[in-house]
PDB file of all heavy atoms in Angstrom:
ATOM      1  N   GLY R 329      -8.674  -6.980   4.288  1.00 97.00           N
ATOM      2  CA  GLY R 329      -8.057  -8.201   4.783  1.00 97.00           C
ATOM      3  C   GLY R 329      -6.850  -8.655   3.995  1.00 97.00           C
ATOM      4  O   GLY R 329      -6.116  -9.538   4.451  1.00 97.00           O
ATOM      5  N   GLU R 330      -6.620  -8.068   2.805  1.00 98.00           N
ATOM      6  CA  GLU R 330      -5.445  -8.456   2.028  1.00 98.00           C
ATOM      7  C   GLU R 330      -4.176  -8.005   2.748  1.00 98.00           C
ATOM      8  O   GLU R 330      -4.176  -6.992   3.467  1.00 98.00           O
ATOM      9  CB  GLU R 330      -5.512  -7.855   0.625  1.00 98.00           C
ATOM     10  CG  GLU R 330      -6.569  -8.495  -0.248  1.00 98.00           C
ATOM     11  CD  GLU R 330      -6.561  -7.985  -1.676  1.00 98.00           C
ATOM     12  OE1 GLU R 330      -6.018  -6.879  -1.915  1.00 98.00           O
ATOM     13  OE2 GLU R 330      -7.112  -8.685  -2.549  1.00 98.00           O
ATOM     14  N   PRO R 331      -3.064  -8.738   2.571  1.00 98.00           N
ATOM     15  CA  PRO R 331      -1.852  -8.433   3.336  1.00 98.00           C
ATOM     16  C   PRO R 331      -1.185  -7.124   2.945  1.00 98.00           C
ATOM     17  O   PRO R 331      -1.141  -6.753   1.768  1.00 98.00           O
ATOM     18  CB  PRO R 331      -0.936  -9.626   3.028  1.00 98.00           C
ATOM     19  CG  PRO R 331      -1.442 -10.184   1.745  1.00 98.00           C
ATOM     20  CD  PRO R 331      -2.909  -9.938   1.729  1.00 98.00           C
ATOM     21  N   VAL R 332      -0.678  -6.439   3.958  1.00 98.00           N
ATOM     22  CA  VAL R 332       0.164  -5.256   3.782  1.00 98.00           C
ATOM     23  C   VAL R 332       1.549  -5.642   4.282  1.00 98.00           C
ATOM     24  O   VAL R 332       1.694  -6.113   5.414  1.00 98.00           O
ATOM     25  CB  VAL R 332      -0.392  -4.045   4.573  1.00 98.00           C
ATOM     26  CG1 VAL R 332       0.588  -2.877   4.531  1.00 98.00           C
ATOM     27  CG2 VAL R 332      -1.749  -3.636   4.019  1.00 98.00           C
ATOM     28  N   LEU R 333       2.558  -5.463   3.444  1.00 98.00           N
ATOM     29  CA  LEU R 333       3.898  -5.960   3.731  1.00 98.00           C
ATOM     30  C   LEU R 333       4.892  -4.831   3.961  1.00 98.00           C
ATOM     31  O   LEU R 333       4.783  -3.760   3.332  1.00 98.00           O
ATOM     32  CB  LEU R 333       4.385  -6.824   2.563  1.00 98.00           C
ATOM     33  CG  LEU R 333       3.411  -7.891   2.044  1.00 98.00           C
ATOM     34  CD1 LEU R 333       3.985  -8.586   0.822  1.00 98.00           C
ATOM     35  CD2 LEU R 333       3.067  -8.895   3.140  1.00 98.00           C
ATOM     36  N   ALA R 334       5.856  -5.053   4.829  1.00 98.00           N
ATOM     37  CA  ALA R 334       6.925  -4.076   5.047  1.00 98.00           C
ATOM     38  C   ALA R 334       7.747  -3.957   3.775  1.00 98.00           C
ATOM     39  O   ALA R 334       8.162  -4.968   3.192  1.00 98.00           O
ATOM     40  CB  ALA R 334       7.808  -4.505   6.210  1.00 98.00           C
ATOM     41  N   ALA R 335       7.992  -2.745   3.339  1.00 98.00           N
ATOM     42  CA  ALA R 335       8.703  -2.522   2.077  1.00 98.00           C
ATOM     43  C   ALA R 335      10.206  -2.712   2.215  1.00 98.00           C
ATOM     44  O   ALA R 335      10.914  -2.864   1.219  1.00 98.00           O
ATOM     45  CB  ALA R 335       8.411  -1.122   1.549  1.00 98.00           C
ATOM     46  N   SER R 336      10.705  -2.712   3.444  1.00 97.00           N
ATOM     47  CA  SER R 336      12.129  -2.946   3.700  1.00 97.00           C
ATOM     48  C   SER R 336      12.313  -3.239   5.179  1.00 97.00           C
ATOM     49  O   SER R 336      11.384  -3.055   5.981  1.00 97.00           O
ATOM     50  CB  SER R 336      12.964  -1.725   3.288  1.00 97.00           C
ATOM     51  OG  SER R 336      14.345  -2.012   3.354  1.00 97.00           O
ATOM     52  N   ASP R 337      13.509  -3.716   5.542  1.00 97.00           N
ATOM     53  CA  ASP R 337      13.810  -3.953   6.949  1.00 97.00           C
ATOM     54  C   ASP R 337      13.687  -2.647   7.733  1.00 97.00           C
ATOM     55  O   ASP R 337      13.995  -1.570   7.212  1.00 97.00           O
ATOM     56  CB  ASP R 337      15.241  -4.475   7.120  1.00 97.00           C
ATOM     57  CG  ASP R 337      15.445  -5.842   6.475  1.00 97.00           C
ATOM     58  OD1 ASP R 337      14.462  -6.446   6.024  1.00 97.00           O
ATOM     59  OD2 ASP R 337      16.599  -6.283   6.426  1.00 97.00           O
ATOM     60  N   GLY R 338      13.288  -2.746   8.973  1.00 97.00           N
ATOM     61  CA  GLY R 338      13.223  -1.539   9.783  1.00 97.00           C
ATOM     62  C   GLY R 338      12.621  -1.784  11.150  1.00 97.00           C
ATOM     63  O   GLY R 338      12.475  -2.927  11.594  1.00 97.00           O
ATOM     64  N   LYS R 339      12.262  -0.709  11.801  1.00 96.00           N
ATOM     65  CA  LYS R 339      11.687  -0.758  13.142  1.00 96.00           C
ATOM     66  C   LYS R 339      10.386   0.024  13.156  1.00 96.00           C
ATOM     67  O   LYS R 339      10.311   1.134  12.619  1.00 96.00           O
ATOM     68  CB  LYS R 339      12.664  -0.151  14.159  1.00 96.00           C
ATOM     69  CG  LYS R 339      12.174  -0.202  15.601  1.00 96.00           C
ATOM     70  CD  LYS R 339      13.215   0.381  16.544  1.00 96.00           C
ATOM     71  CE  LYS R 339      12.746   0.328  17.990  1.00 96.00           C
ATOM     72  NZ  LYS R 339      13.748   0.897  18.921  1.00 96.00           N
ATOM     73  N   VAL R 340       9.360  -0.557  13.744  1.00 97.00           N
ATOM     74  CA  VAL R 340       8.061   0.115  13.843  1.00 97.00           C
ATOM     75  C   VAL R 340       8.169   1.240  14.872  1.00 97.00           C
ATOM     76  O   VAL R 340       8.472   0.987  16.039  1.00 97.00           O
ATOM     77  CB  VAL R 340       6.955  -0.877  14.251  1.00 97.00           C
ATOM     78  CG1 VAL R 340       5.624  -0.144  14.413  1.00 97.00           C
ATOM     79  CG2 VAL R 340       6.834  -1.992  13.221  1.00 97.00           C
ATOM     80  N   VAL R 341       7.949   2.468  14.417  1.00 95.00           N
ATOM     81  CA  VAL R 341       8.027   3.609  15.328  1.00 95.00           C
ATOM     82  C   VAL R 341       6.644   4.185  15.639  1.00 95.00           C
ATOM     83  O   VAL R 341       6.509   5.049  16.490  1.00 95.00           O
ATOM     84  CB  VAL R 341       8.955   4.713  14.770  1.00 95.00           C
ATOM     85  CG1 VAL R 341      10.382   4.225  14.687  1.00 95.00           C
ATOM     86  CG2 VAL R 341       8.471   5.213  13.413  1.00 95.00           C
ATOM     87  N   TYR R 342       5.632   3.686  14.934  1.00 95.00           N
ATOM     88  CA  TYR R 342       4.261   4.123  15.239  1.00 95.00           C
ATOM     89  C   TYR R 342       3.296   3.058  14.735  1.00 95.00           C
ATOM     90  O   TYR R 342       3.448   2.522  13.635  1.00 95.00           O
ATOM     91  CB  TYR R 342       3.936   5.450  14.568  1.00 95.00           C
ATOM     92  CG  TYR R 342       2.526   5.926  14.859  1.00 95.00           C
ATOM     93  CD1 TYR R 342       2.226   6.582  16.047  1.00 95.00           C
ATOM     94  CD2 TYR R 342       1.488   5.679  13.967  1.00 95.00           C
ATOM     95  CE1 TYR R 342       0.932   6.980  16.338  1.00 95.00           C
ATOM     96  CE2 TYR R 342       0.197   6.068  14.241  1.00 95.00           C
ATOM     97  CZ  TYR R 342      -0.082   6.728  15.430  1.00 95.00           C
ATOM     98  OH  TYR R 342      -1.369   7.113  15.725  1.00 95.00           O
ATOM     99  N   ALA R 343       2.297   2.750  15.550  1.00 96.00           N
ATOM    100  CA  ALA R 343       1.210   1.861  15.161  1.00 96.00           C
ATOM    101  C   ALA R 343      -0.033   2.316  15.915  1.00 96.00           C
ATOM    102  O   ALA R 343      -0.143   2.113  17.119  1.00 96.00           O
ATOM    103  CB  ALA R 343       1.545   0.403  15.493  1.00 96.00           C
ATOM    104  N   GLY R 344      -0.938   2.967  15.204  1.00 94.00           N
ATOM    105  CA  GLY R 344      -2.115   3.513  15.866  1.00 94.00           C
ATOM    106  C   GLY R 344      -2.997   4.260  14.897  1.00 94.00           C
ATOM    107  O   GLY R 344      -2.874   4.131  13.672  1.00 94.00           O
ATOM    108  N   ASN R 345      -3.881   5.092  15.426  1.00 93.00           N
ATOM    109  CA  ASN R 345      -4.836   5.813  14.569  1.00 93.00           C
ATOM    110  C   ASN R 345      -5.054   7.255  15.016  1.00 93.00           C
ATOM    111  O   ASN R 345      -6.154   7.785  14.902  1.00 93.00           O
ATOM    112  CB  ASN R 345      -6.177   5.070  14.535  1.00 93.00           C
ATOM    113  CG  ASN R 345      -6.786   4.887  15.912  1.00 93.00           C
ATOM    114  OD1 ASN R 345      -6.271   5.394  16.908  1.00 93.00           O
ATOM    115  ND2 ASN R 345      -7.898   4.172  15.982  1.00 93.00           N
ATOM    116  N   SER R 346      -4.005   7.899  15.517  1.00 88.00           N
ATOM    117  CA  SER R 346      -4.163   9.273  15.998  1.00 88.00           C
ATOM    118  C   SER R 346      -3.895  10.330  14.930  1.00 88.00           C
ATOM    119  O   SER R 346      -4.087  11.514  15.186  1.00 88.00           O
ATOM    120  CB  SER R 346      -3.242   9.517  17.200  1.00 88.00           C
ATOM    121  OG  SER R 346      -1.890   9.485  16.810  1.00 88.00           O
ATOM    122  N   LEU R 347      -3.472   9.923  13.728  1.00 90.00           N
ATOM    123  CA  LEU R 347      -3.236  10.881  12.659  1.00 90.00           C
ATOM    124  C   LEU R 347      -4.475  10.959  11.780  1.00 90.00           C
ATOM    125  O   LEU R 347      -4.802  10.012  11.061  1.00 90.00           O
ATOM    126  CB  LEU R 347      -2.016  10.496  11.801  1.00 90.00           C
ATOM    127  CG  LEU R 347      -0.672  11.007  12.303  1.00 90.00           C
ATOM    128  CD1 LEU R 347      -0.208  10.169  13.484  1.00 90.00           C
ATOM    129  CD2 LEU R 347       0.371  10.966  11.195  1.00 90.00           C
ATOM    130  N   ARG R 348      -5.167  12.075  11.846  1.00 89.00           N
ATOM    131  CA  ARG R 348      -6.410  12.243  11.107  1.00 89.00           C
ATOM    132  C   ARG R 348      -6.171  12.070   9.606  1.00 89.00           C
ATOM    133  O   ARG R 348      -5.240  12.610   9.038  1.00 89.00           O
ATOM    134  CB  ARG R 348      -6.974  13.642  11.384  1.00 89.00           C
ATOM    135  CG  ARG R 348      -8.359  13.881  10.806  1.00 89.00           C
ATOM    136  CD  ARG R 348      -8.847  15.264  11.153  1.00 89.00           C
ATOM    137  NE  ARG R 348      -8.853  15.490  12.602  1.00 89.00           N
ATOM    138  CZ  ARG R 348      -9.038  16.684  13.167  1.00 89.00           C
ATOM    139  NH1 ARG R 348      -9.193  17.758  12.416  1.00 89.00           N
ATOM    140  NH2 ARG R 348      -9.036  16.791  14.491  1.00 89.00           N
ATOM    141  N   GLY R 349      -7.035  11.283   8.985  1.00 92.00           N
ATOM    142  CA  GLY R 349      -6.939  11.071   7.551  1.00 92.00           C
ATOM    143  C   GLY R 349      -6.128   9.855   7.148  1.00 92.00           C
ATOM    144  O   GLY R 349      -6.101   9.489   5.973  1.00 92.00           O
ATOM    145  N   TYR R 350      -5.477   9.211   8.124  1.00 96.00           N
ATOM    146  CA  TYR R 350      -4.655   8.035   7.828  1.00 96.00           C
ATOM    147  C   TYR R 350      -5.279   6.733   8.328  1.00 96.00           C
ATOM    148  O   TYR R 350      -4.819   5.653   7.982  1.00 96.00           O
ATOM    149  CB  TYR R 350      -3.267   8.184   8.451  1.00 96.00           C
ATOM    150  CG  TYR R 350      -2.347   9.125   7.711  1.00 96.00           C
ATOM    151  CD1 TYR R 350      -2.385  10.500   7.936  1.00 96.00           C
ATOM    152  CD2 TYR R 350      -1.427   8.641   6.792  1.00 96.00           C
ATOM    153  CE1 TYR R 350      -1.533  11.364   7.264  1.00 96.00           C
ATOM    154  CE2 TYR R 350      -0.555   9.487   6.119  1.00 96.00           C
ATOM    155  CZ  TYR R 350      -0.623  10.856   6.357  1.00 96.00           C
ATOM    156  OH  TYR R 350       0.227  11.703   5.675  1.00 96.00           O
ATOM    157  N   GLY R 351      -6.295   6.820   9.160  1.00 96.00           N
ATOM    158  CA  GLY R 351      -6.893   5.616   9.710  1.00 96.00           C
ATOM    159  C   GLY R 351      -5.905   4.843  10.551  1.00 96.00           C
ATOM    160  O   GLY R 351      -5.050   5.421  11.231  1.00 96.00           O
ATOM    161  N   ASN R 352      -6.001   3.518  10.522  1.00 97.00           N
ATOM    162  CA  ASN R 352      -5.049   2.671  11.244  1.00 97.00           C
ATOM    163  C   ASN R 352      -3.723   2.680  10.486  1.00 97.00           C
ATOM    164  O   ASN R 352      -3.645   2.206   9.350  1.00 97.00           O
ATOM    165  CB  ASN R 352      -5.583   1.249  11.375  1.00 97.00           C
ATOM    166  CG  ASN R 352      -6.810   1.182  12.262  1.00 97.00           C
ATOM    167  OD1 ASN R 352      -6.944   1.946  13.218  1.00 97.00           O
ATOM    168  ND2 ASN R 352      -7.730   0.272  11.955  1.00 97.00           N
ATOM    169  N   LEU R 353      -2.704   3.196  11.127  1.00 97.00           N
ATOM    170  CA  LEU R 353      -1.449   3.520  10.442  1.00 97.00           C
ATOM    171  C   LEU R 353      -0.260   2.815  11.085  1.00 97.00           C
ATOM    172  O   LEU R 353      -0.180   2.702  12.300  1.00 97.00           O
ATOM    173  CB  LEU R 353      -1.235   5.041  10.499  1.00 97.00           C
ATOM    174  CG  LEU R 353       0.090   5.607  10.007  1.00 97.00           C
ATOM    175  CD1 LEU R 353       0.224   5.459   8.494  1.00 97.00           C
ATOM    176  CD2 LEU R 353       0.213   7.084  10.397  1.00 97.00           C
ATOM    177  N   VAL R 354       0.647   2.361  10.235  1.00 97.00           N
ATOM    178  CA  VAL R 354       1.934   1.833  10.686  1.00 97.00           C
ATOM    179  C   VAL R 354       3.030   2.676  10.042  1.00 97.00           C
ATOM    180  O   VAL R 354       2.975   2.971   8.847  1.00 97.00           O
ATOM    181  CB  VAL R 354       2.133   0.355  10.274  1.00 97.00           C
ATOM    182  CG1 VAL R 354       3.535  -0.122  10.662  1.00 97.00           C
ATOM    183  CG2 VAL R 354       1.090  -0.535  10.919  1.00 97.00           C
TER     184      VAL R 354
END
């Protein structure tokens, strides 16, 4: 539940969980 912050300005190109071993990924 702790916040995860964008490390720099940008555009989200993926948000999901289809990459095995990464879980819920941005």
Side-chain angles (χ1 to χ4, degrees):
E330 289 185 340
V332 173
L333 312 175
S336 188
D337 295 353
K339 182 178 180 180
V340 177
V341 295
Y342 180 81
N345 58 5
S346 67
L347 273 76
R348 187 179 303 169
Y350 284 84
N352 293 327
L353 172 69
V354 175

